């Protein structure tokens, strides 16, 4: 018996993406060294649909994901997409995976440790070859250079967020991207601090004032010097503490 999805569609309009969104399941992502971190992955899975096909069998996406047991490495994601493409009989397959990545942070004086949550995402597609992009958002602290100059002393500070997306050859750890973002800000932020820790963080930030433009350019310099990275997009947004607006800068580069 022929399924309705398998019947011919007389309109003959190809669709770029057809699939399912919001599938969740535990999955592993690499951490520095040879370790893995188990996270809750939120999957959107798609295939392309040719002009004469009425539809796809949506349940097959869930079945493929249920059997997926590999970590979210480029090779693991490529295998997932290749399986989806084969199961759905499509030329190309796509996946977006959102998850929260936790970075262990140690306070600068007390050594108190805590876990900092960073939203992360993997976006990938497979047609003739794999296209794989890794994204993470990192909270940082920034101090305004203008306010420092205006007061002749400490300037106002704000929470900033740096979002780094990269396409790369070989292997890039999420912790590396976190370190790059933090090193280009006025100071890192921490999940757990004592009074002595706060004093050091504030002094560090005051000694390193940066505009949002400085933040993005600093990250770009670091990525430009990394031979593994062949494309990047950097966004930085600061929540202004003395104005009712945020400030933003971005850069995208293919090398």
């Amino acid at each position: 018996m022929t399924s309705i999805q398998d019947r011919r569609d007389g309109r003959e309009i190809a669709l770029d993406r057809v699939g399912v969104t919001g599938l969740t399941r535990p999955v592993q992502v690499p951490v520095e060294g040879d370790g893995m971190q188990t996270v809750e992955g939120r999957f959107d899975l798609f295939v392309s649909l040719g002009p004469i096909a009425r539809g796809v069998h949506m349940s097959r996406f869930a079945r493929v994901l249920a059997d997926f047991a590999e970590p979210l490495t480029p090779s693991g994601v490529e295998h997932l997409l290749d399986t989806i493409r084969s199961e759905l009989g499509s030329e190309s397959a796509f996946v977006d995976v959102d998850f929260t990545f936790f970075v262990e942070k140690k306070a600068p004086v007390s050594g108190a440790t805590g876990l900092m949550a960073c939203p992360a995402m993997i976006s990938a597609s497979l047609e003739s070859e794999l296209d794989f992009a890794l994204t993470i958002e990192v909270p940082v602290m920034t101090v305004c250079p203008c306010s420092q100059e205006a007061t002749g002393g400490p300037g106002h500070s704000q929470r900033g967020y740096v979002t780094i997306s990269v396409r790369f050859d070989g292997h890039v750890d999420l912790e590396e991207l976190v370190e790059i973002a933090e090193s280009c800000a006025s100071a890192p932020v921490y999940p757990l601090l004592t009074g002595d820790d706060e004093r050091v963080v504030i002094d560090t930030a005051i000694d390193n004032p940066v505009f949002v433009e400085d933040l993005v350019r600093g990250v770009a310099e670091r990525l430009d010097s990394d031979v593994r990275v062949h494309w990047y997009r950097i966004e930085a947004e600061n929540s202004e503490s003395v104005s009712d607006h945020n400030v933003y800068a971005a850069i995208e580069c293919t090398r």
Side-chain angles (χ1 to χ4, degrees):
M1 180 177 177
T2 302
S3 299
I4 293 177
Q5 296 97 319
D6 296 327
R7 295 176 184 172
R8 183 185 182 95
D9 192 288
R11 290 163 290 190
E12 297 190 359
I13 299 173
L15 301 181
D16 295 328
R17 293 192 179 198
V18 177
V20 298
T21 63
L23 291 173
T24 59
R25 60 156 296 156
V27 67
Q28 291 189 316
V29 294
V31 297
E32 284 184 323
D34 297 323
M36 292 286 170
Q37 183 178 131
T38 300
V39 300
E40 180 187 62
R42 297 170 293 279
F43 288 77
D44 298 339
L45 300 167
F46 311 100
V47 294
S48 58
L49 185 65
I52 64 172
R54 175 76 180 276
V56 300
H57 296 267
M58 297 293 185
S59 62
R60 294 180 184 176
F61 291 102
R63 189 175 68 209
V64 170
L65 185 60
D67 294 335
F68 179 63
E70 297 181 50
L72 291 179
T73 60
S75 60
V77 171
E78 183 173 16
H79 185 215
L80 173 65
L81 291 174
D82 191 45
T83 304
I84 290 172
R85 192 172 58 170
S86 176
E87 287 289 322
L88 276 295
S90 299
E91 293 184 357
S92 52
F94 311 84
V95 61
D96 295 325
V97 191
D98 293 295
F99 57 94
T100 300
F101 186 74
F102 291 93
V103 181
E104 186 175 282
K105 299 278 294 176
K106 182 179 292 188
V109 178
S110 69
T113 60
L115 295 176
M116 184 173 72
C118 296
M121 180 179 184
I122 289 171
S123 296
S125 64
L126 180 63
E127 190 170 3
S128 58
E129 61 182 25
L130 178 70
D131 179 39
F132 182 98
L134 182 62
T135 299
I136 192 164
E137 179 186 282
V138 185
V140 296
M141 180 180 178
T142 61
V143 171
C144 177
C146 280
S147 64
Q148 276 198 335
E149 184 171 300
T151 64
H156 69 83
S157 61
Q158 53 264 318
R159 176 78 59 82
Y161 294 90
V162 183
T163 303
I164 304 175
S165 300
V166 291
R167 291 186 172 96
F168 54 90
D169 298 316
H171 179 78
V172 172
D173 285 312
L174 285 165
E175 292 97 330
E176 294 181 75
L177 301 181
V178 172
E179 186 277 326
I180 290 173
E182 291 179 337
S183 69
C184 297
S186 296
V189 300
Y190 296 86
L192 182 59
L193 293 172
T194 67
D196 289 339
D197 294 315
E198 288 185 16
R199 189 175 302 108
V200 169
V201 172
I202 292 170
D203 287 343
T204 299
I206 290 171
D207 290 340
N208 295 280
V210 293
F211 291 123
V212 69
E213 299 93 331
D214 298 320
L215 188 48
V216 167
R217 285 173 172 145
V219 175
E221 281 188 320
R222 289 285 303 272
L223 295 178
D224 282 336
S225 66
D226 192 326
V227 296
R228 298 170 298 174
V229 176
H230 54 80
W231 172 89
Y232 61 76
R233 177 172 175 81
I234 309 157
E235 298 176 90
E237 185 169 6
N238 288 342
S239 302
E240 286 286 319
S241 57
V242 295
S243 303
D244 65 351
H245 59 260
N246 293 352
V247 293
Y248 174 88
I251 183 173
E252 183 173 340
C253 178
T254 300
R255 302 192 290 134

